[in-house]
Amino acid sequence: MKFPEETIQNMAQYRQQNEAPQDPETEDKKEYTVEELALAANTTVRNIRAYQDKGLLPPPTLRGRKGIYNNQHLSRLRVIADLLDRGYTLASILDLISGLEKGIGLSEILGMESAINSPWGKEAPEIIPMTQMVTMFGRQLTPANIRLASELGIAIIQGAQVRVNSMSTLKVAADLCAMGIPLGDQLEILRMSRDNVEKVAKEFVRLISDNVLRPYEEKSLPPKEEFPKIIDLIWRMRPMAEIVVKAELGRAMEVAASNILADQLENIMKALEAGKDRAQ
């Protein structure tokens, strides 16, 4: 999951407030009752109590029987809300906030996030008119093929436009259709190959999970000095995985071509020889 700009700003603000002492004479209002804090953070008193129980939010300063909160509490609540919106669990948010407090900076955390969440494919999605799809595939653009292409995320109809996640894949499919290979058969092969490719991808990722990150499972976050090594390894895994998959696909295509196309070519050659003999 990628941190939106607002989340990054809130994290940076929280980090700054955590590092620097606050001067109530030069700052805006810094004190809140729990009700005022809930209103300012757009949350509920119940949530604030729950975050305190789980260690996500430090306790307030007590004045008599009243708890007094400050802007550091507000900043943390905003960070928590942003991360919850992105799908992070409370446990992972606690680890992240603990890392910020222990001196792991935004650069390390955002560097790790970028290595994991940056698009692994080299193509950006494109939006094309539906008329272009019709031109490319003609009568093969049947409702069934359109539905299957959408399910596979290849081409998704959006009104009179189509969102294409890989234009190179779409162009290859159109070229094969022009050579007489049905679009439906191509999509079924893609569906079958995707299952196998996803299994391989999971195992590649598991290699890093098991051998690099697992030693830190008992800790909230890896030590700050380990972040660059882990980030570098994740980035380097991308081309490594592509090289291995491409080499294996080439090997498999060679075997398949030898087993299937070579036999057909031999039959064609025999038929040509037989035709020559009859002509003589």
Side-chain angles (χ1 to χ4, degrees), residues 60-79:
T61 300
L62 290 179
R63 288 185 187 163
R65 294 185 177 182
K66 180 178 291 188
I68 301 298
Y69 298 83
N70 56 37
N71 268 10
Q72 188 172 344
H73 292 94
L74 179 59
S75 294
R76 183 177 289 200
L77 284 174
R78 287 173 175 166
V79 170

Side-chain angles (χ1 to χ4, degrees), residues 128-165 170 173 177 182-188 190-191 194:
I128 64 173
M130 186 65 186
T131 53
Q132 184 175 341
M133 284 283 289
V134 174
T135 301
M136 294 174 72
F137 296 100
R139 293 182 178 179
Q140 298 219 36
L141 203 63
T142 63
N145 286 340
I146 291 174
R147 184 168 53 253
L148 182 53
S150 179
E151 291 174 359
L152 293 170
I154 301 300
I156 302 169
I157 306 298
Q158 298 177 338
Q161 296 181 315
V162 183
R163 176 187 171 90
V164 179
N165 288 323
L170 200 69
C177 283
L183 178 60
D185 291 345
Q186 295 183 53
L187 292 173
E188 287 296 340
L190 180 60
R191 187 209 295 273
R194 180 164 294 180

Side-chain angles (χ1 to χ4, degrees), residues 56-130:
L56 282 161
L57 194 68
T61 300
L62 290 179
R63 288 185 187 163
R65 294 185 177 182
K66 180 178 291 188
I68 301 298
Y69 298 83
N70 56 37
N71 268 10
Q72 188 172 344
H73 292 94
L74 179 59
S75 294
R76 183 177 289 200
L77 284 174
R78 287 173 175 166
V79 170
I80 293 170
D82 287 337
L83 295 175
L84 286 174
D85 286 343
R86 303 303 297 170
Y88 285 82
T89 65
L90 291 177
S92 62
I93 294 172
L94 179 59
D95 288 345
L96 181 58
I97 290 176
S98 298
L100 289 172
E101 292 177 341
K102 291 176 182 177
I104 296 176
L106 283 177
S107 59
E108 288 87 4
I109 292 173
L110 296 180
M112 177 83 79
E113 189 219 15
S114 177
I116 294 172
N117 292 318
S118 294
W120 287 57
K122 297 177 181 178
E123 291 184 83
E126 296 185 34
I127 302 295
I128 64 173
M130 186 65 186

